[in-house]
Amino acid sequence: MDLDAFTELLTPRGGRALAEAEELAGADPVAAATALRRTYDAALTSAALTQAGLRQRARAKFGSDAGRMFFTPHGLEQSTRTEVADHRARRLLTLHGTAAPQHDTSAPQPAQHSTAAPQPAQHGTGAPRVVDACCGVGGDLLALARAGCAVTAVDTDPLTVAVARANAEAFGLSARVTVSVADAADVSPEDYDVLFADPARRTGRGRTFDPMAYSPPWPVVLDLLSRARLACLKVAPGLPYEFIPEGAEAEWVSFKGEVKEATLWTGAGGGRRATLLPGGHTLAAAGVRAEAGAPGGYVYEPDGAAVRAHLVGEVAELVGGRLLDPMIAYITSDALVRTPWAAAYEVEDIMPFSLKKLRAALRERQIGNVTIKKRGSAVDIERLRTDLRLKGDNSLVIMLTRIADKPSVILCKASPPA
């Protein structure tokens, strides 16, 4: 899909092609293309079918909003799911000292098209002026504008900019948004209240985990942060700690138990934090160090965001627990404590790791289905599942880990979530 074909999608004729392409979703691709080609040229047919497929995939991140949005393949892959972007926008307003208004539901306004150097958008008194230095298709841009921010957004790719503009128009947010083609390095964050940046984490060879390979590169990102009054930087959850700028707060966010991303906040104090969505629970580092101790009747598996944020000690304190091993993020306790910060398991048995003994224990319990978890173990889970030769009607959770630095197996049952 090129810029011309996408632009045609925004015309009445293109809208009809897209609507027809969405009705053909799930059909044989060749048959769908043949049907559309009876009315539309090849370029519009391809653009419509591509966009219809992207909208279908985007429902996992954007829900019903996906049916009104536009995407590029890479833009969809890197975009933030709605719940996470909304959380970040609310927190940005809190740190800025601005109350969040209700979502704007006014009629769509014409988008502001500009190819000049980005200038701060002026959209009313008191609205935080945010510069989105690498806006992509606009997932965060929409959340910020809906929260009441005046957003000036840039991206280096003309097609991506056109998509972001179209998304702002689709939700009636153009009056709060200016989108233009520009390099993040040319942004002047000191001219705004807040800098938001989501550097691209893909290269020609695919996803990259090296911040120096981000686009813009890490040194450019750090320069932008150093000049911003308040900044919010979206990064991969596996960002090495040594890349966190001094004085920044690092927040890891999980959604329904899966760690989605990390956010670095500068200009608002330092520290580490984990946030659970959709519940909105948040936990900040308090310097708690958990001691290791003997196994109890329950084992707790902390949420991944708490593990990434090095908050296992804080979670252990919440459940009155201790670590099974000083280097492993499994917590044990003598009592069941309900918390959204950890999944709880009732211990049935603990034994040194031995395939023969484990197989015998499962056979005795007539276990035919197992959930296998591991931390600090080199065992191949899928090979172990085959080697266990499971047979029976019962289920069990197997934890492969170390206890007092010895390879061990914990047989347990999951407790209902908090």
Side-chain angles (χ1 to χ4, degrees), residues 374 377-385 400:
K374 73 170 188 174
S377 171
V379 174
D380 183 301
I381 289 179
E382 293 310 314
R383 180 172 180 178
L384 174 63
R385 192 184 301 276
L400 307 174

Side-chain angles (χ1 to χ4, degrees), residues 15-278:
R16 291 192 296 272
L18 180 53
E20 292 178 30
E22 289 184 305
E23 290 179 0
L24 293 168
D28 176 75
V30 175
T34 301
L36 286 183
R37 282 298 305 275
R38 297 190 184 102
T39 307
Y40 308 103
D41 59 69
L44 182 55
T45 292
S46 177
L49 288 172
T50 297
Q51 200 59 233
L54 290 171
R55 282 183 170 181
Q56 192 170 37
R57 286 168 47 196
R59 289 188 177 277
K61 283 188 174 182
F62 294 95
S64 60
D65 282 353
R68 298 167 62 185
M69 295 177 69
F70 298 92
F71 303 95
T72 65
H74 287 172
L76 173 57
E77 183 172 338
Q78 183 158 323
S79 60
T80 306
R81 71 169 47 248
T82 297
E83 296 89 346
V84 178
D86 286 346
H87 157 74
R88 190 161 43 222
R90 289 192 299 269
R91 183 141 197 255
L92 183 150
L93 290 179
T94 298
L95 294 174
H96 179 262
T98 308
Q102 297 296 317
H103 284 186
D104 190 331
T105 57
S106 59
Q109 301 295 320
Q112 301 182 44
H113 292 237
S114 172
T115 56
Q119 298 296 320
Q122 303 291 339
H123 300 304
T125 304
R129 298 172 305 145
V130 180
V131 59
D132 186 342
C134 5
C135 69
V137 298
D140 282 285
L141 180 156
L142 295 179
L144 292 166
R146 280 172 158 172
C149 299
V151 186
T152 299
V154 303
D155 201 281
T156 57
D157 177 50
L159 172 59
T160 300
V161 166
V163 171
R165 285 176 181 155
N167 285 332
E169 283 193 20
F171 292 93
L173 297 169
S174 296
R176 293 180 182 167
V177 172
T178 299
V179 190
S180 58
V181 178
D183 195 306
D186 296 329
V187 167
S188 297
E190 54 268 42
D191 294 339
Y192 300 84
D193 299 313
V194 185
L195 165 73
F196 177 80
D198 179 9
R201 294 180 290 280
R202 292 191 66 87
T203 66
R205 292 175 292 181
R207 186 185 297 273
T208 179
F209 298 96
D210 179 9
M212 300 303 293
Y214 283 6
S215 179
W218 196 246
V220 173
V221 172
L222 292 181
D223 176 64
L224 293 173
L225 293 181
S226 71
R227 293 186 283 127
R229 304 171 195 172
L230 175 65
C232 175
L233 173 64
K234 174 184 170 183
V235 294
L239 180 79
Y241 263 58
E242 59 265 28
F243 283 91
I244 299 175
E246 185 176 355
E249 183 192 75
E251 178 187 21
W252 282 263
V253 178
S254 71
F255 179 76
K256 294 185 177 179
E258 183 179 350
V259 182
K260 291 298 181 182
E261 62 185 57
T263 304
L264 304 183
W265 299 90
T266 64
R272 304 184 312 279
R273 177 182 301 272
T275 297
L276 308 182
L277 298 176

